[in-house]
Amino acid sequence: MTASTIDGKAAALALREQVRDEVLRFRDTTGRAPGLAVVLVGEDPASAIYVRSKGKATREAGMESFEHKLPADAAEDELLALVDRLSADPTVDGILVQLPLPPQIDASKVITRIDPDKDVDGFNPVNAGRVAIGLPGFVPCTPLGCLKLLKAERGRLTGLDAVIIGRSNIVGKPIALLLLGESATVTVAHSRTRDLPEVVRRADIVIAAVGRPEMVKGDWLKPGATVIDVGINRIDVGEGTPRLVGDVDFASASEIAGAITPVPGGVGPMTIACLIRNTLVSAARREGFELETSL
Ligand code: NAD
């Protein structure tokens, strides 16, 4: 069997176009564009690239992008004051503080300070709680992207066995809660799980969010399983530029799986598309604007 490849790039493009159409209507109706504020502290090159691409995607969707840069030695109070200003600013619908933050700043304090109704990254404990008990809030972008890819591939997830490898607060745990909300039977595996291959073999749906290059092998999979690979790992192949691979060994997994996301081009592009989506949803809630499509 050769698995079909789940095209995250195409799905992300479709979502971004849908958001752009809604943004046009939003602007006509309310007379303003939805706004996303992105805060970068320091010069981390990977973070700078993420921030730039988030700004670009925001503008391409017809939204306003507010970019704030603080120096690497900025004090925690300075960042908290900026977060307070953005939380109070009516032109800002979404606030995202790019992680990681420098060591003198307590990231959880900063995230907790963001107005939960503008927390489009979904990392504020209020939104984590809302996701846990099924209240409307903001779902973190990568888990939301995974859910959208899964539903497009499998339709209803009711009763399916899902195994999530990884229990981080930003990926593994929220995905587990979302799949539970879809009535899947959810197992969360992690670094202390015994006989991981055997656990994974039960799954109709496998989500790998570990951060270990090509750890999940084809012979761990149930034939026909749907595999969502969240991992982004850079491996040195000795030719200067590192190669990007996921947490799943794509070559062997695609012999057994029914469908699988590639890395790159799978979950990654959906993350930014969901950020744009969350920002529009925030703006719509704040203005009482009714969206025509379910995003
Ligand atoms: P993390 O390091 O916070 O969590 C990793 C999890 O994997 C932990 O819960 C740990 O228990 C588990 N784990 C570690 N070793 C294991 C092992 N040998 N067997 C089973 N479980 C093991 O990582 P994270 O932030 O959740 O990210 C996971 C991966 O997803 C990383 O590669 C990261 O780069 C990637 N990621 C991608 C996106 C995206 O947009 N596609 C977004 C966020 C994270």
Side-chain angles (χ1 to χ4, degrees):
M1 179 193 280
T2 304
S4 61
T5 300
I6 298 173
D7 189 345
K9 242 191 206 166
L13 199 66
L15 178 56
R16 285 169 64 166
E17 278 174 5
Q18 211 185 333
V19 169
R20 203 184 50 207
D21 291 346
E22 292 277 10
V23 166
L24 287 176
R25 287 183 45 248
F26 179 93
R27 290 168 59 149
D28 280 349
T29 310
T30 65
R32 73 172 184 95
L36 173 64
V38 179
V39 181
L40 175 64
V41 185
E43 317 277 334
D44 178 61
S47 293
I49 293 173
Y50 288 138
V51 163
R52 223 176 301 133
S53 50
K54 285 167 185 173
K56 184 165 171 272
T58 306
R59 287 186 295 276
E60 281 173 5
M63 301 188 194
E64 194 95 55
S65 170
F66 307 106
E67 284 160 45
H68 295 267
K69 291 201 171 118
L70 295 183
D73 61 356
E76 187 179 270
D77 281 349
E78 196 183 337
L79 178 55
L80 291 173
L82 174 59
V83 166
D84 287 346
R85 277 202 306 283
L86 297 172
S87 291
D89 183 340
T91 65
V92 172
D93 300 290
I95 302 169
L96 182 155
V97 177
Q98 185 65 44
L99 301 177
L101 290 169
Q104 75 277 14
I105 298 177
D106 177 349
S108 85
K109 200 164 167 186
V110 174
I111 289 164
T112 304
R113 190 77 156 246
I114 296 172
D115 176 350
D117 294 329
K118 294 187 177 185
D119 167 42
V120 286
D121 244 351
F123 294 162
N124 184 296
V126 171
N127 282 314
R130 286 169 172 165
V131 172
I133 62 174
L135 289 176
F138 291 109
V139 173
C141 303
T142 299
L144 183 59
C146 292
L147 181 67
K148 286 182 179 299
L149 292 178
L150 269 176
K151 282 172 120 177
E153 180 63 31
R154 301 285 307 230
R156 272 158 57 86
L157 307 179
T158 304
L160 295 179
D161 278 313
V163 169
I164 296 139
I165 318 172
R167 55 172 162 182
S168 73
N169 288 336
I170 61 167
V171 191
K173 264 186 224 164
I175 291 180
L177 291 166
L178 290 176
L179 293 183
L180 209 49
E182 297 294 326
S183 299
T185 302
V186 176
T187 303
V188 183
H190 47 78
S191 52
R192 305 291 173 85
T193 295
R194 276 183 287 163
D195 199 358
L196 184 61
E198 201 46 47
V199 173
V200 172
R201 227 166 263 133
R202 292 203 297 263
D204 304 302
I205 293 168
V206 179
I207 314 247
V210 188
R212 286 177 179 256
E214 300 176 323
M215 184 184 82
V216 177
K217 307 296 180 197
D219 63 5
W220 295 20
L221 300 172
K222 175 170 164 177
T226 302
V227 179
I228 305 288
D229 189 352
V230 185
I232 300 177
N233 308 290
R234 285 168 181 83
I235 56 167
D236 187 6
V237 286
E239 292 156 20
T241 31
R243 196 161 67 92
L244 221 54
V245 299
D247 291 342
V248 179
D249 175 23
F250 188 86
S252 65
S254 54
E255 307 253 302
I256 310 290
I260 181 168
T261 57
V263 176
V267 174
M270 285 303 280
T271 298
I272 287 193
C274 288
L275 173 67
I276 302 303
R277 178 257 179 218
N278 278 358
T279 304
L280 169 64
V281 167
S282 173
R285 282 183 189 150
R286 286 160 38 76
E287 295 283 352
F289 173 81
E290 212 162 303
L291 297 170
E292 269 179 4
T293 45
S294 83
L295 292 167

